[in-house]
Amino acid sequence: MSPSPVRLRDVALAAGTSTKTASRVINGDARVATDTRHRVQEAVDQLGYQVDLMARSLRKGVDDTVGIVVPTIGDPFFAKAIEEIEQMALPRGINLLVASNSRDPKCERKVVDGLLARRVSGLIVTPFSTDYSFLERVVTPVVFLDRHPKGMDVGAVIVDDEGGAYRIVMHLASFGHRRIALLTDDLTIETSRLRREGYVRAMFELDLPIEQELQATWCVDAAQAETCTNDMLDLDHPPTAIFSARSETSLGVVRALHLRRRTDIAFASFGDFATADVLSPAITVIDHDPRTLARRAMEMLSERLDGAPASPVDTIVAVELIARGSGELPALRAVS
Amino acid sequence: MSPSPVRLRDVALAAGTSTKTASRVINGDARVATDTRHRVQEAVDQLGYQVDLMARSLRKGVDDTVGIVVPTIGDPFFAKAIEEIEQMALPRGINLLVASNSRDPKCERKVVDGLLARRVSGLIVTPFSTDYSFLERVVTPVVFLDRHPKGMDVGAVIVDDEGGAYRIVMHLASFGHRRIALLTDDLTIETSRLRREGYVRAMFELDLPIEQELQATWCVDAAQAETCTNDMLDLDHPPTAIFSARSETSLGVVRALHLRRRTDIAFASFGDFATADVLSPAITVIDHDPRTLARRAMEMLSERLDGAPASPVDTIVAVELIARGSGELPALRAVS
DNA sequence: AATGTCAAGGTAATCGTTGTCACGCGCATT
DNA sequence: AATGCGCGTGACAACGATTACCTTGACATT
């Protein structure tokens, strides 16, 4: 048996109408006599008819789905974003196709093409490193999340990465820190680059030097961040404060600090994470809610689906600094 | 412009063949002359042809997608599971439709029906509370993840919930604890019920009473778990050890213990979580990897897609107890 | 030389739904 | 009484690919 052996023509037959009229009833077309509508409705219920969405989509030219492409589905930040988008899409009868670009340009292009070939009605993408200029020939609306795409000059829904990082560094400095270390992911990622720029701007304004030995800009995961933190703590002039530009790397830093019992070192994280508030000291963070980001993106996509043109303007989601203790530790031994 | 204005017939025209032959080339049919194949291939590249997956799916009767339904997409456990499944599906050219049942039976049924109507080739479901007997009339293969469905007697891919809980309680007891509290999610959820059964069996074997005041069996989220923990600590005879049956609730327990500075209380969690190993004391957990679970489920689904019949036997994934400190705290004042 | 076989390719039907257009039938309008 | 207007309805084509079935010609077999 096929998934649903009941076709529209079976319903029409049972109701004694044409398939077209049955179709009208199903799609809520007003131009159907109440009596007819009733008969069709009954037949639908009786037979347990369900629209074949493939056929519908073929006919209509678009599928009632939106695709979302993120670097890593398992990352709590993106997982929450996906959840939010699904929650918004569901009531509209829109399904969600989820795909990851696996932090690999080849894969990224393939994934996006695959989604396009599926005739998704829209796409939400966190671009990695693919040149997205090919999208200009495509009519499917695409909204970019968290980062700008390469090769395309369109707005995106992003958080205030540069500003948040700036604030965090200024915050640390206000407690007397001068040797402030930076840990980020790969700088080819826009998010990382911007956060570093915020760090640089703050350091510059503070008249502090950017020391190479206090920069770890390739920390893809927690393990690498842990190693880098350890290396820095072993320096002759170790940092008195650390700024980690991602939740994921923060886990590594926290691990290193705790295992070495160096919780006297000030620490702040761009991105909140579970238990950040129960550690001792609790971790000071810049909070940027993935849900807000996702909501904005989905709202924007909805507008695009309704015909609005792509906006070249960014939607910037504000961030909040949550002081919990770790970022307010003073620089006891102001070194050099 | 339509998503891809290039159709198969355009390719055929350009290659000077019929659409059928072009189709053969695209689908890797061997019965095409090398020369012809070449011409078609070239036309495909030149025109940038992409198969319209909707049309293909309509004709074939199934779509190259699998659907996954989980209670909460944002839950790190399920997020990781989704990630694993996506990673396995991608190389096969299968896309992933993700949906959540929002812990609501009505929604659950609707969501599953929607996915079925989309003609997914298979479904992976973490059932919540819907009666799934209706699936018996459906041919789409369904694999159940983490729990058994109601109203259906089929195997599922699950972890050893009962055994893991049993081990955890025995472990706590071996350090002298007699008043061991239990925190779980809603008991209508099979996972929670089984973990509680493990607790009960252990307590029974230990000849310890099941005290109502030490049972909090409705902790849906961390906040509730925190409240329940606080309530228990305020008892005349508070527990000396706590067993939290879910990562999510564990976060609440940890929060309560830390905020009250009662880290002398022994604690173990069913389910690992980020930073569990850097807290002081580090948290003893039963680790059950969502990826393993997901992998098994996807393997099983693949077999089903290849025609294997549904197995009535469960696939049980073993769990591991990771002693980190919090579960090995002794019961100092052995009460009553 | 006649026949059979097989590779290579084509034709038309089909998947299930929806958009286009046309039709009949009352009812109000002139 | 003739015209016009909507309403409710249905016949039919189309969406773009695949599949069942057929044709053709080259070559091998007897």
Side-chain angles (χ1 to χ4, degrees), chain A residues 70-71 100-111 128-130 132, chain B residues 90:
Chain A
V70 298
S100 105
N101 60 30
S102 307
R103 299 174 68 97
D104 167 27
K106 271 190 192 168
C107 178
E108 184 173 22
R109 176 69 194 262
K110 220 182 287 181
V111 156
F128 178 63
S129 69
T130 298
Y132 275 92
Chain B
L90 197 63

Side-chain angles (χ1 to χ4, degrees), chain A residues 114-151:
Chain A
L115 257 16
L116 254 22
R118 180 146 265 127
R119 300 247 200 174
V120 292
S121 50
L123 220 42
I124 295 177
V125 178
T126 296
F128 178 63
S129 69
T130 298
D131 186 311
Y132 275 92
S133 52
F134 71 96
L135 277 184
E136 277 164 1
R137 299 176 179 198
V138 170
V139 286
T140 312
V142 180
V143 171
F144 291 96
L145 187 75
D146 199 44
R147 303 164 198 172
H148 292 91
K150 278 190 187 169

Side-chain angles (χ1 to χ4, degrees), chain A residues 17-18 21 24 32-33 36 59 119:
Chain A
T17 71
S18 71
T21 300
R24 284 200 182 91
V32 178
T36 315
R59 185 66 246 253
R119 300 247 200 174

Side-chain angles (χ1 to χ4, degrees), chain B residues 230-308:
Chain B
N230 279 320
D231 290 349
M232 284 188 188
L233 294 178
D234 287 334
L235 291 173
D236 289 340
H237 287 285
T240 64
I242 300 178
F243 163 38
S244 158
R246 250 180 86 205
S247 306
E248 175 73 12
T249 51
S250 298
L251 295 178
V253 175
V254 165
R255 195 144 205 283
L257 294 180
H258 277 257
L259 292 182
R260 294 173 71 125
R261 309 196 170 277
R262 286 305 305 277
T263 45
D264 58 306
I265 303 239
F267 175 57
S269 163
F270 201 124
D272 201 359
F273 52 95
T275 71
D277 59 340
V278 294
L279 290 165
S280 337
I283 308 298
T284 294
V285 303
I286 284 278
D287 184 33
H288 60 308
D289 184 15
R291 293 171 204 280
T292 311
L293 207 67
R295 204 172 317 125
R296 292 280 162 78
M298 192 63 190
E299 282 164 6
M300 191 163 291
L301 186 59
S302 295
E303 289 169 20
R304 295 287 307 280
L305 292 180
D306 294 341

Side-chain angles (χ1 to χ4, degrees), chain B residues 87-119:
Chain B
Q87 294 291 316
M88 292 180 76
L90 197 63
R92 300 170 169 237
I94 292 178
N95 274 112
L96 193 62
L97 280 158
V98 174
S100 105
N101 59 30
S102 307
R103 299 175 67 98
D104 168 24
K106 271 190 194 169
C107 177
E108 183 173 23
R109 176 68 194 262
K110 220 181 289 182
V111 156
V112 171
D113 277 342
L115 257 16
L116 254 22
R118 179 146 265 128
R119 300 249 199 174

Side-chain angles (χ1 to χ4, degrees), chain B residues 154-175:
Chain B
V154 295
V157 181
I158 53 179
V159 300
D160 186 8
D161 292 304
E162 202 271 350
Y166 174 84
R167 273 175 68 190
I168 249 182
V169 175
M170 289 312 243
H171 184 75
L172 290 170
S174 74
F175 290 89

